[in-house]
Amino acid sequence: VRDPFGDSPFGRGCLAAVRLITVGVRCVEVTLGGWDSHINNHSLQSIGCKTLDSAAASLIKLLAERDLLKTTLVVIGGEFGRTPSINPAGGRDHWPHGFSTLLAGCGIREGVVHGETASDGDLDSENPAKGVKDPVTIADVHATILKAVGVDYTKELQTPIGRPMKTSDGKPIESVLS
């Protein structure tokens, strides 16, 4: 059971996550750092992907085998994206205008890709949306997550001091929901 997850803290964390979800834990976070590749992007990303790919695939597969993927939402994402182009140091810098997020389980359609970022030829820091297909916001990702897990993303809550607070400002990405 352990081998497919990989012999890394992240792989062991993903296996532990399955075990925790199996016994009823409602929220589990497993982190994998090392993606800040301002230099030597290709080698750093290759190492990260090798660790992430086997562990994440094993996590999703084992949850599905245990019939837990229907009620478990797997979210894999970062805080922002990386520039489409390589900088002079062989790295990729911060690019909050484009990012990738993987969603699996809990009513997410399998095999669906939504949107695409601009290619190097379309890269324009003055107009970062140029060349982007089907753009969404972080709030839209949040609304999608909330809807997938059955939370009313339109609900407005009141803080203890009576201040209204929206659950989400976004709209669910319907193309990824089943």
Side-chain angles (χ1 to χ4, degrees):
V1 171
R2 286 186 212 150
D3 289 345
F5 285 86
D7 186 20
S8 68
F10 182 72
R12 290 186 292 278
C14 286
L15 177 56
V18 173
R19 291 176 174 165
L20 290 167
I21 292 164
T22 300
V23 297
V25 174
R26 295 183 57 170
C27 184
V28 179
E29 178 181 359
V30 183
T31 60
L32 177 60
W35 298 98
D36 203 13
S37 56
H38 294 280
I39 60 169
N40 202 12
N41 176 74
H42 295 303
S43 128
L44 290 172
Q45 297 303 316
S46 293
I47 293 165
C49 287
K50 182 178 178 186
T51 302
L52 174 68
D53 290 353
S54 61
S58 298
L59 168 75
I60 293 167
K61 181 179 178 190
L62 194 52
L63 287 171
E65 287 172 0
R66 294 183 179 188
D67 204 30
L68 293 167
L69 199 54
K70 294 175 189 171
T71 57
T72 304
L73 181 64
V74 177
V75 179
I76 299 175
E79 61 201 273
F80 54 80
R82 311 300 294 180
T83 52
S85 56
I86 301 296
N87 68 26
R92 292 173 67 196
D93 297 316
H94 299 172
W95 187 250
H97 313 294
F99 57 91
S100 298
T101 302
L102 180 144
L103 302 174
C106 214
I108 300 296
R109 290 177 54 207
E110 293 181 21
V112 172
V113 175
H114 180 92
E116 69 184 50
T117 57
S119 66
D120 283 351
D122 291 327
L123 182 60
D124 183 349
S125 59
E126 298 297 317
N127 180 13
K130 179 183 174 191
V132 174
K133 179 182 173 189
D134 298 326
V136 298
T137 65
I138 295 294
D140 296 336
V141 174
H142 291 165
T144 305
I145 290 168
L146 291 170
K147 186 171 181 178
V149 299
V151 173
D152 181 0
Y153 65 94
T154 65
K155 186 173 185 174
E156 191 172 272
L157 306 171
Q158 296 291 321
T159 67
I161 61 169
R163 181 176 168 213
M165 188 171 79
K166 292 181 180 179
T167 305
S168 175
D169 284 324
K171 293 182 177 144
I173 307 163
E174 296 294 340
S175 66
V176 304
L177 296 167
S178 57

